[in-house]
C-alpha cells in the first residue's frame, strides 16, 4: 500500500515557505472544554499562545526527593556511559538524560500524576502515552544552549509522528532565572509549520542532541514570528511547570551564571497518533528517543 502524502514536508533540498498548521491546537470539542482541570480561559490561552505556565505547580516538599535523585545522577559515572545520556560537546558534564521514566520509579510515577495527566488529556482529547522523557542539565558557566526548533518537525521527520497531537510538560527542577538559560518560547508560533532545509544523515541524533544544526527554522521565518509575537521566557522555582504544544518554537541560551539550570521533560502523545516510519527515509531512532513499544494508555496516580 502506498504511503499517504506527507502533510508536513521538511528536510528538503530546497526551501519551502512556512504554512498554517493543519491540526487543531486544542483537540477537545468546544462543548466539552470544561471537562478537565483547566478553565476555559486557560484552554483559550493555550490555543492562542501555544503554552501555559504554572508557578509552583508542585510544592518544594513534593520536589525534594526528585531533586536529590537528580543530583545523584550527576555523579553516576556508569550513567554517563549509557547511550541515553548525552554529554556536553567536548566535556564530561551531562547535557541530557533520556528515558528518565524508565530509569527511575519515582519519575515514572510522576508521568502519571493525576492533575498533570488530566490536563494533558483535556488538551489532546485522548488517552496518552509517553513518547519521550528526559532531563536537560545546564551546569553553571558551562551549560550550552539549544537552538530554535519545533519538536514536531524533528519527531515527524526522524521518528514518523504523523500529526500534531502531542505536547511537552517541562517541570523546573532548579530555579530558572533570566541568567541561567531558561526555556524561551515564541507565543503563537504553534500556528505555523516551517519546513527546514537539509538531508538528514543516518544516526543524526548522535550529533543533533549535542548541537542542533538540522531542523532549525530559517532566519526570515523566525524574524517574522518574533516581530509579530515577541519571545517569552517563563521563570520560577522548582516545581513550576511549562506545558507547550509540540509545534511551538522554543530554544534556550547558554548558562552564563554560576547557578545550574535543570528541567525535566515529559512528552505525551495521543494513542491515536502513534509513530510510523520516519518521514526523512532513515531507520527509526532508538527507543529512548522515540517510544514505539510501550503504548498502553497511562493511568493516573495520586501522590507521585
Amino acid at each position: 500500500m502506498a504511503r499517504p502524502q506527507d502533510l508536513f514536508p521538511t528536510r528538503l533540498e530546497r526551501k519551502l515557505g512556512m504554512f498554517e498548521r493543519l491540526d487543531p491546537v486544542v483537540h477537545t470539542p468546544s462543548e466539552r472544554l470544561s471537562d478537565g482541570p483547566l478553565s476555559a480561559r486557560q484552554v483559550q490561552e493555550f490555543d492562542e499562545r501555544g503554552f501555559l505556565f504554572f508557578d509552583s505547580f508542585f510544592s518544594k516538599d513534593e520536589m525534594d526527593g526528585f531533586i536529590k535523585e537528580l543530583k545523584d545522577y550527576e555523579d553516576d559515572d556508569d550513567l554517563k556511559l549509557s547511550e541515553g545520556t548525552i554529554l556536553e560537546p567536548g566535556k564530561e558534564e551531562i547535557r541530557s538524560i533520556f528515558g528518565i521514566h524508565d530509569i527511575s520509579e519515582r519519575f515514572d510515577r510522576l508521568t502519571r500524576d493525576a492533575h498533570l495527566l488530566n490536563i494533558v488529556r483535556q488538551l489532546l482529547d485522548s488517552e496518552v502515552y509517553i513518547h519521550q522523557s528526559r532531563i536537560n542539565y545546564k551546569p553553571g558557566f558551562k551549560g550550552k544552549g539549544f537552538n530554535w526548533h519545533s519538536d514536531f518537525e524533528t519527531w515527524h521527520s526522524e521518528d514518523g509522528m504523523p500529526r500534531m497531537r502531542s505536547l511537552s510538560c517541562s517541570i523546573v527542577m532548579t530555579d530558572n532565572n533570566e541568567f541561567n538559560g531558561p526555556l524561551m518560547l515564541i507565543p503563537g508560533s504553534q500556528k505555523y509549520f516551517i519546513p527546514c532545509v537539509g538531508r538528514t544523515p543516518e544516526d543524526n541524533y548522535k550529533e543533533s542532541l549535542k548541537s542542533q544544526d538540522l531542523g532549525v527554522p530559517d532566519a526570515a521565518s523566525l524574524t517574522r514570528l518574533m516581530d509579530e509575537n515577541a519571545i517569552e521566557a517563563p521563570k520560577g522555582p522548582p516545581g513550576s511547570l511549562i506545558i507547550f504544544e509540540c509545534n511551538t518554537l522554543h530554544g534556550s541560551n547558554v548558562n552564563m551564571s554560576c547557578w545550574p539550570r535543570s528541567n525535566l521533560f515529559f512528552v505525551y502523545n495521543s494513542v491515536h497518533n502513534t509513530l510510523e516510519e520516519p518521514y526523512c527515509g532513515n531507520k527509526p531512532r532508538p527507543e529512548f528517543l522515540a517510544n514505539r513499544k510501550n503504548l498502553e494508555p497511562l493511568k493516573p496516580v495520586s501522590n507521585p
Side-chain angles (χ1 to χ4, degrees), residues 44 71 81 118 166 182 217 228:
Q44 182 180 10
K71 291 179 178 177
L81 299 175
N118 287 334
S166 66
E228 292 177 356

Side-chain angles (χ1 to χ4, degrees), residues 156-198:
H156 180 74
S157 175
E158 298 190 37
D159 297 332
M161 182 178 287
R163 306 300 293 261
M164 296 180 185
R165 199 173 180 179
S166 66
L167 55 77
S168 292
C169 293
S170 175
I171 301 172
V172 173
M173 304 296 287
T174 58
D175 284 305
N176 278 209
N177 59 52
E178 61 264 44
F179 306 113
N180 63 356
L183 181 70
M184 301 186 297
L185 307 104
I186 304 177
S189 59
Q190 81 284 355
K191 299 176 183 178
Y192 300 94
F193 181 74
I194 305 178
C196 298
V197 176

Side-chain angles (χ1 to χ4, degrees), residues 25 46 49-54 123-124 134 136 149-152 155 166-171 183-186 190 234 241-251 263-268:
V25 176
F46 184 83
R49 292 164 52 79
F51 65 92
L52 291 169
F53 176 66
F54 302 87
L123 293 171
L124 296 180
R134 67 188 185 276
N136 284 349
H149 64 285
S150 152
D151 284 333
F152 176 75
W155 299 336
S166 66
L167 55 77
S168 292
C169 293
S170 175
I171 301 172
L183 181 70
M184 301 186 297
L185 307 104
I186 304 177
Q190 81 284 355
L241 170 69
I242 306 167
I243 300 179
F244 60 101
E245 208 271 338
C246 64
N247 193 48
T248 302
L249 291 172
H250 60 286
N263 287 2
L264 172 66
F265 291 81
F266 295 145
V267 179
Y268 295 91

Side-chain angles (χ1 to χ4, degrees), residues 198-212:
R199 175 78 170 84
T200 308
E202 287 286 354
D203 296 328
N204 179 55
Y205 71 92
K206 293 181 178 180
E207 297 301 322
S208 66
L209 297 179
K210 296 181 179 181
S211 178
Q212 184 170 3

Side-chain angles (χ1 to χ4, degrees), residues 46-112:
F46 184 83
D47 188 53
E48 293 177 352
R49 292 164 52 79
F51 65 92
L52 291 169
F53 176 66
F54 302 87
D55 191 291
S56 300
F57 184 86
F58 297 104
S59 70
K60 184 181 183 304
D61 288 344
E62 289 177 299
M63 296 306 297
D64 280 345
F66 296 98
I67 294 169
K68 181 184 183 303
E69 191 168 324
L70 184 71
K71 291 179 178 177
D72 292 340
Y73 291 146
E74 294 182 62
D75 301 320
D76 189 333
D77 290 335
D78 289 336
L79 187 63
K80 289 182 179 180
L81 299 175
S82 168
E83 186 183 23
T85 300
I86 310 301
L87 303 181
E88 291 283 6
K91 297 183 174 69
E92 292 303 312
E93 288 86 5
I94 294 175
R95 179 176 174 87
S96 301
I97 300 174
F98 285 85
I100 191 65
H101 74 295
D102 289 326
I103 296 172
S104 164
E105 182 179 348
R106 185 193 301 270
F107 282 97
D108 178 53
R109 284 183 61 83
L110 187 59
T111 66
R112 293 174 279 135

Side-chain angles (χ1 to χ4, degrees), residues 260-281:
R261 190 226 74 172
S262 298
N263 287 2
L264 172 66
F265 291 81
F266 295 145
V267 179
Y268 295 91
N269 190 31
S270 167
V271 296
H272 306 296
N273 194 41
T274 54
L275 305 185
E276 302 174 352
E277 290 300 307
Y279 285 82
C280 66

